[in-house]
Amino acid sequence: QSSVVVGGIVDSAVRYVHNEGGGSIKSLVSGSNQTSRLYFRGDEDLGGGLSAGFWLESGLNVDTGTSTGGTQFFDRRATLSLSSRGIGELRLGRDYVPTYTLWVRHDPFSHVGVAGSNNFSSSSQQGPIRSAFSTGPNTTVRSSNAVEYLLPSGLGGLEGGLTVAAGEGGSAANGQDKLIGGRIGWQSASLGVHASRVITSNDLTASGKFKDTLLAVNGTVGQVRMNAALRKYEQALSEETLLLLSTAATLGQVELKASYLRANMKGKVGTAAIDANDATQIGLGAVYSLSKRSALYVQGARINNDGKASFSIPGGTTMVAGGSSKALEAGVRHNF
Amino acid sequence: QSSVVVGGIVDSAVRYVHNEGGGSIKSLVSGSNQTSRLYFRGDEDLGGGLSAGFWLESGLNVDTGTSTGGTQFFDRRATLSLSSRGIGELRLGRDYVPTYTLWVRHDPFSHVGVAGSNNFSSSSQQGPIRSAFSTGPNTTVRSSNAVEYLLPSGLGGLEGGLTVAAGEGGSAANGQDKLIGGRIGWQSASLGVHASRVITSNDLTASGKFKDTLLAVNGTVGQVRMNAALRKYEQALSEETLLLLSTAATLGQVELKASYLRANMKGKVGTAAIDANDATQIGLGAVYSLSKRSALYVQGARINNDGKASFSIPGGTTMVAGGSSKALEAGVRHNF
Amino acid sequence: QSSVVVGGIVDSAVRYVHNEGGGSIKSLVSGSNQTSRLYFRGDEDLGGGLSAGFWLESGLNVDTGTSTGGTQFFDRRATLSLSSRGIGELRLGRDYVPTYTLWVRHDPFSHVGVAGSNNFSSSSQQGPIRSAFSTGPNTTVRSSNAVEYLLPSGLGGLEGGLTVAAGEGGSAANGQDKLIGGRIGWQSASLGVHASRVITSNDLTASGKFKDTLLAVNGTVGQVRMNAALRKYEQALSEETLLLLSTAATLGQVELKASYLRANMKGKVGTAAIDANDATQIGLGAVYSLSKRSALYVQGARINNDGKASFSIPGGTTMVAGGSSKALEAGVRHNF
């Protein structure tokens, strides 16, 4: 008897992006409210509070039919778990890193779409991410080859986890990083305080490990939630600090949300100073729920770059350094 | 609760192809009666005659286990829909173009197998398809990045649809084409009349858009259906006109089918005249249904090329220009 | 109505490998007890003892989320079957070759993990496998483009099968091999005797076909099973003979297993004699069942190479010719 749950999300939007110094581009995009995906998961009760489980999740672009991970088909998650109600969960495989797990909870745009906070966790320009991973896969979101331990639920709001990943003698270009990280926090219905740190070493970090540190708080009053999160990436002499302030309010079937994201670059990459290459993003959005599973949404964002920074909203033309990027999109999301 | 339907088709045949000037090749092939595929689809009733739905469909080769789209895993279809019983359907993603939707209905060989009409919609030689798309993906069957509107059913046989796709500032090689098209038709149980046109622009069509125009009629008398379809591809100074005449008759568990396909090339590509490079294909087939879901089939086809044309049935050796190609295959199809 | 069974296995372990002359590497690996996989399969009763069925199976690495076959997504199996209770099964597609079907039954480590007999069926060094297939896909495990006939069950323990695959005028590098093979055997609950032979031709075997011959016996007394299997690969002037002796004992929830594998190389590749390049592998393992579907396991293995042989356990550093390789791993397996 099959015990598999097949589920996922399809999400597509019409997007308009205008980058300073280039023209504008209209496109159909995928996953602007939540990433389009297909998953297979299941659990087995082993008795005595123990259970085994698996989760295989593949990202997809519903606009073109491509797999977001290419031949890394289950790019979003591939895990095997042994869980105990009292002791917690041992999880093996590919999964989110602890810093990201917390960060994304404080971004009402879920790290995707025109206003997602992912726009500033980019290897597109000089800084700690590019130095530590070049343009290959980085560990700001996920890690392969991970062994995780997660605290059980039911600890009065306390939550936490540890992750270690093997470097396997491989290369950052192949996504092989040695990683150690953890998170700890306390979350109630009205208040949350969280901290996390992840340290990554690979063949490109001989001059200093990549450090990813997060502090976040959230508070909910009635139908309004407010979030503040601070995340710092460091490698060798370069630093990137992100400040994310956001809010989301639910009014019947409508959710309104807004975020302010600031990237502060500091230090040097080689001999080049990057201190002036800061950037700011403002995002606004509204989601109208058609049902528990389906929704319409519209959202807009603007990025202003300082110095030689050239962060931009995906889907546009090449932008001039120090320029601005603005975008609008309207779409549909359907969970299945 | 999962609301996903997992389904598909596996179809495999033993094929023999003989191309003039080369030898013959025997092979095991996939998808000769219907393309082998795996799909995930579902619908959600939103109330008030509204529904949301998705369809993710991946082509596969059951002879080798390969994905037909490579890393474009859902190469056959990836769509998200909002439908109203009264107003129609809004569909976003990757789907058939309107001309193809009608064309394939008039080909009893479903555009696949040795006798499929796909043999002449090929970029293997000079003509409008090759000029507009080189050997990359073309829009004679599907388009990515499409926004579609489809008329609702229940209009007394009237049917139609509109498709626009964004070029996204990309290249034909990456399957990024700006596209606009529509279809309109009337179909009853005994008679159908249809017309469609699709116009594609991309980075290779500076000297003229790619135009794809279709007219088709079908009639059914008792167990016999007859089809006639005319399709014209145009780009710059070159034209390819396809005439497809076909019939299919159901006799209990057996379906017999036959088709005549003629390609008429006209005009020039650069300075080279292509007028003489015409070709004719004759196809015959029989399908024996073992059940509603499973069938055995046998089919044969012959292509005769004129001038420098070298259309051929897939699975053979390289053919001499102006030569003939003939093939036979016997296989099994199973829908699940 | 969907008739599809979605199932699979996730299996992950922590592995330590030490190769002589290099250092040691720790890694998270996938599929050490059984290969991690996802499958879709189903059957349709056609009446009168007839049935149709399909099986699509994709290997995956749960440690990284990658597909083991890359764009050959259903790399493990892609088949379409017509079966008769009395006459047997006709199976088309990609499947195990007959020699492998029997060989793996006599390896308690299932041809995977640190102690799997796959370690010696490798193209990593000169010998018949490398000569016949270079480093491309070989037919020691599976064949694409196969037509199989399998004897029905219920013949008093007699079992057997025939496989032919089309070369399709292609290349070994593309996995296109002409293949003919068969197997015959007799298996009761306490005793089994089996023989098989597979002959492969391709564009690299002009100097002699690749021959793969197997003899195997197994006996079960109480909870203890013993296996002996002999497999010989031959191509042109080179030979590799494998002797596999193994045992497995079930003690309540625990299964203990051990295997001895010897590779004897003989003859020449070009002008280089390979006779001295033999190797021996010893494997030990224990599996603790948490349920019918989930288990914990630990296993170790050691390879000793003679001459210039450099067979090694996957996951280690490059090894010196004639060196030794040793490894230990502990993991979890979950069937779904």
Side-chain angles (χ1 to χ4, degrees):
Chain A
Q1 215 55 24
S2 180
S3 59
V4 182
V5 177
V6 181
I9 299 172
V10 288
D11 178 328
S12 189
V14 176
R15 179 181 292 186
Y16 165 92
V17 180
H18 179 85
N19 286 343
E20 196 175 334
S24 63
I25 292 184
K26 278 169 287 195
S27 55
L28 190 75
V29 295
S30 177
S32 288
N33 182 260
Q34 289 184 38
T35 304
S36 299
R37 69 193 72 173
L38 176 69
Y39 61 73
F40 303 87
R41 63 175 176 80
D43 285 296
E44 180 194 11
D45 189 342
L46 297 171
L50 284 171
S51 63
F54 77 99
W55 193 301
L56 298 170
E57 185 168 313
S58 172
L60 64 98
N61 295 310
V62 73
D63 53 339
T64 59
T66 50
S67 175
T68 59
T71 56
Q72 188 177 32
F73 191 72
F74 297 108
D75 59 332
R76 290 184 52 83
R77 183 167 168 185
T79 61
L80 167 55
S81 295
L82 280 181
S83 302
S84 152
R85 248 194 319 259
I87 300 172
E89 177 179 348
L90 175 71
R91 194 185 287 178
L92 306 176
R94 177 172 176 78
D95 197 11
Y96 290 136
V97 295
T99 41
Y100 180 80
T101 298
L102 295 176
W103 175 258
V104 72
R105 280 201 225 165
H106 297 83
D107 179 358
F109 294 99
S110 302
H111 210 249
V112 293
V114 295
S117 56
N118 57 314
N119 291 336
F120 285 2
S121 288
S122 161
S123 63
S124 68
Q125 52 207 285
Q126 292 304 343
I129 297 175
R130 176 109 169 208
S131 298
F133 303 96
S134 185
T135 54
N138 63 57
T139 59
T140 61
V141 178
R142 293 181 182 86
S143 174
S144 291
N145 303 312
V147 177
E148 291 177 83
Y149 165 72
L150 299 166
L151 285 180
S153 59
L155 299 180
L158 180 71
E159 50 175 74
L162 289 172
T163 301
V164 293
E168 306 198 340
S171 66
N174 288 332
Q176 289 165 305
D177 300 290
K178 189 171 172 180
L179 181 148
I180 181 158
R183 63 181 171 92
I184 188 81
W186 181 83
Q187 181 74 52
S188 75
S190 62
L191 196 71
V193 185
H194 301 273
S196 176
R197 187 165 167 97
V198 174
I199 297 173
T200 306
S201 329
N202 59 41
D203 61 325
L204 301 180
T205 57
S207 59
K209 296 178 178 183
F210 179 80
K211 295 169 196 157
D212 174 7
T213 311
L214 177 127
L215 292 172
V217 295
N218 61 73
T220 302
V221 180
Q223 301 304 310
V224 181
R225 178 178 159 113
M226 285 156 297
N227 307 287
L230 196 69
R231 190 174 186 180
K232 185 188 277 192
Y233 303 124
E234 300 166 83
Q235 202 270 325
L237 300 175
S238 65
E239 278 185 29
E240 176 178 354
T241 306
L242 296 177
L243 172 65
L244 176 60
L245 303 174
S246 66
T247 186
T250 306
L251 303 157
Q253 287 172 276
V254 177
E255 185 192 22
L256 299 176
K257 47 195 188 180
S259 72
Y260 166 89
L261 179 67
R262 173 76 183 164
N264 182 21
M265 307 295 278
K266 220 171 112 180
K268 287 182 184 184
V269 172
T271 58
I274 59 169
D275 303 73
N277 305 341
D278 301 338
T280 307
Q281 176 177 288
I282 302 281
L284 288 171
V287 180
Y288 178 83
S289 291
L290 297 165
S291 72
K292 286 209 167 182
R293 290 168 46 199
S294 299
L296 305 176
Y297 61 89
V298 57
Q299 50 198 20
R302 182 186 175 100
I303 293 174
N304 287 320
N305 288 288
D306 301 333
K308 290 182 181 169
S310 60
F311 292 110
S312 66
I313 297 164
T317 57
T318 304
M319 200 176 56
V320 295
S324 69
S325 178
K326 51 190 182 186
L328 204 64
E329 65 191 350
V332 190
R333 191 203 75 233
H334 175 64
N335 295 42
F336 57 90
Chain B
Q1 213 58 22
S2 178
S3 61
V4 182
V5 177
V6 181
I9 299 172
V10 287
D11 178 329
S12 188
V14 176
R15 179 182 292 186
Y16 166 92
V17 180
H18 180 86
N19 286 343
E20 196 174 336
S24 63
I25 292 183
K26 277 169 288 194
S27 56
L28 189 76
V29 296
S30 177
S32 289
N33 182 258
Q34 289 184 38
T35 303
S36 299
R37 69 194 72 174
L38 176 70
Y39 61 74
F40 304 87
R41 62 176 176 79
D43 285 295
E44 181 193 11
D45 189 341
L46 298 170
L50 282 171
S51 63
F54 77 100
W55 193 302
L56 299 170
E57 186 168 311
S58 172
L60 65 99
N61 294 310
V62 74
D63 53 339
T64 59
T66 50
S67 174
T68 59
T71 56
Q72 187 177 33
F73 191 72
F74 297 109
D75 59 332
R76 290 184 53 83
R77 183 167 169 185
T79 61
L80 167 55
S81 294
L82 280 180
S83 301
S84 153
R85 244 188 327 255
I87 300 171
E89 176 180 349
L90 175 71
R91 193 185 288 179
L92 306 177
R94 176 170 176 79
D95 197 9
Y96 291 136
V97 295
T99 40
Y100 180 80
T101 298
L102 295 176
W103 175 258
V104 72
R105 280 201 224 165
H106 296 82
D107 179 359
F109 294 98
S110 301
H111 210 248
V112 293
V114 295
S117 56
N118 57 314
N119 292 335
F120 285 4
S121 287
S122 161
S123 63
S124 67
Q125 53 207 285
Q126 293 303 343
I129 297 175
R130 176 110 169 209
S131 299
F133 304 96
S134 186
T135 54
N138 64 58
T139 60
T140 60
V141 177
R142 294 180 181 85
S143 174
S144 289
N145 303 312
V147 177
E148 291 176 83
Y149 166 72
L150 299 167
L151 285 180
S153 58
L155 299 180
L158 180 70
E159 50 175 74
L162 289 172
T163 300
V164 294
E168 306 198 338
S171 66
N174 288 331
Q176 289 166 305
D177 300 289
K178 188 172 173 179
L179 182 146
I180 182 159
R183 64 180 171 91
I184 188 82
W186 182 82
Q187 182 74 52
S188 75
S190 62
L191 196 71
V193 186
H194 301 273
S196 176
R197 187 165 167 97
V198 174
I199 296 173
T200 306
S201 328
N202 59 42
D203 60 325
L204 302 180
T205 57
S207 59
K209 297 178 179 182
F210 178 80
K211 295 169 197 157
D212 174 8
T213 312
L214 177 127
L215 292 172
V217 295
N218 60 72
T220 302
V221 179
Q223 301 305 308
V224 181
R225 179 177 160 115
M226 284 156 296
N227 307 287
L230 196 70
R231 190 172 186 181
K232 185 188 277 193
Y233 303 124
E234 300 167 82
Q235 202 270 326
L237 300 176
S238 65
E239 279 185 30
E240 176 179 353
T241 307
L242 296 177
L243 172 66
L244 175 60
L245 303 174
S246 66
T247 186
T250 306
L251 303 156
Q253 287 173 276
V254 178
E255 185 193 22
L256 299 175
K257 47 197 188 179
S259 73
Y260 166 89
L261 179 66
R262 173 76 183 164
N264 182 22
M265 308 295 278
K266 219 170 114 181
K268 286 182 185 184
V269 172
T271 57
I274 59 168
D275 303 75
N277 305 339
D278 301 339
T280 308
Q281 176 178 286
I282 301 283
L284 288 172
V287 181
Y288 178 83
S289 292
L290 297 166
S291 73
K292 284 209 167 182
R293 291 167 46 200
S294 300
L296 305 176
Y297 61 88
V298 56
Q299 50 199 19
R302 182 185 175 101
I303 293 174
N304 287 317
N305 287 289
D306 302 332
K308 291 183 180 168
S310 59
F311 292 110
S312 65
I313 298 164
T317 57
T318 305
M319 201 176 54
V320 295
S324 70
S325 177
K326 51 191 180 184
L328 203 64
E329 65 190 350
V332 190
R333 192 203 75 233
H334 174 65
N335 294 41
F336 57 89
Chain C
Q1 213 57 24
S2 180
S3 59
V4 181
V5 177
V6 180
I9 298 173
V10 288
D11 177 329
S12 189
V14 176
R15 178 182 293 186
Y16 166 91
V17 180
H18 179 84
N19 286 342
E20 197 175 334
S24 63
I25 293 183
K26 277 169 287 195
S27 56
L28 189 75
V29 295
S30 177
S32 288
N33 183 259
Q34 289 184 37
T35 303
S36 299
R37 68 193 74 172
L38 176 69
Y39 61 74
F40 304 86
R41 62 177 175 78
D43 285 295
E44 180 193 12
D45 189 342
L46 297 170
L50 283 172
S51 63
F54 77 101
W55 193 301
L56 299 171
E57 185 167 312
S58 172
L60 64 98
N61 294 310
V62 74
D63 53 338
T64 59
T66 50
S67 175
T68 59
T71 55
Q72 187 177 32
F73 191 71
F74 297 108
D75 58 333
R76 291 184 52 82
R77 183 167 167 185
T79 61
L80 167 54
S81 294
L82 280 180
S83 301
S84 153
R85 241 185 333 251
I87 299 171
E89 178 179 348
L90 176 70
R91 194 185 288 179
L92 306 177
R94 177 172 175 77
D95 197 10
Y96 290 136
V97 295
T99 40
Y100 180 79
T101 298
L102 294 176
W103 175 259
V104 72
R105 279 201 225 164
H106 297 83
D107 179 358
F109 295 98
S110 302
H111 210 249
V112 294
V114 295
S117 55
N118 57 314
N119 292 336
F120 285 3
S121 288
S122 160
S123 63
S124 67
Q125 52 206 286
Q126 292 304 343
I129 297 175
R130 176 109 168 211
S131 299
F133 303 97
S134 186
T135 54
N138 63 58
T139 59
T140 61
V141 177
R142 294 180 181 85
S143 174
S144 290
N145 304 312
V147 178
E148 291 177 83
Y149 165 71
L150 298 167
L151 284 180
S153 58
L155 298 180
L158 180 70
E159 50 175 74
L162 291 171
T163 301
V164 294
E168 306 198 339
S171 66
N174 288 331
Q176 289 166 305
D177 300 289
K178 189 171 172 180
L179 181 148
I180 181 158
R183 63 180 171 93
I184 189 83
W186 182 82
Q187 181 75 52
S188 75
S190 62
L191 196 70
V193 185
H194 301 274
S196 176
R197 187 166 167 97
V198 173
I199 297 172
T200 306
S201 329
N202 60 42
D203 60 325
L204 301 181
T205 57
S207 58
K209 296 178 179 181
F210 178 79
K211 293 169 198 159
D212 174 7
T213 312
L214 177 127
L215 293 173
V217 295
N218 61 73
T220 302
V221 179
Q223 301 305 309
V224 180
R225 179 178 158 113
M226 285 156 297
N227 307 287
L230 196 71
R231 190 172 185 181
K232 186 188 276 193
Y233 303 124
E234 300 167 82
Q235 202 270 326
L237 299 176
S238 66
E239 278 184 31
E240 177 179 354
T241 306
L242 296 177
L243 172 66
L244 175 61
L245 303 175
S246 66
T247 186
T250 307
L251 303 157
Q253 286 174 277
V254 177
E255 186 193 20
L256 299 176
K257 47 195 187 179
S259 72
Y260 166 88
L261 179 66
R262 172 79 183 163
N264 182 22
M265 308 294 278
K266 219 170 113 181
K268 287 182 183 185
V269 172
T271 56
I274 59 168
D275 302 74
N277 304 341
D278 301 339
T280 307
Q281 176 177 287
I282 302 282
L284 287 171
V287 181
Y288 178 83
S289 291
L290 297 166
S291 72
K292 285 210 168 182
R293 290 167 46 199
S294 299
L296 305 176
Y297 61 88
V298 56
Q299 51 198 20
R302 182 185 175 100
I303 293 175
N304 287 318
N305 287 288
D306 302 332
K308 292 184 178 167
S310 60
F311 291 111
S312 65
I313 297 163
T317 56
T318 304
M319 202 176 54
V320 294
S324 70
S325 177
K326 51 191 181 185
L328 203 64
E329 66 189 349
V332 190
R333 191 202 76 233
H334 175 65
N335 295 42
F336 57 91

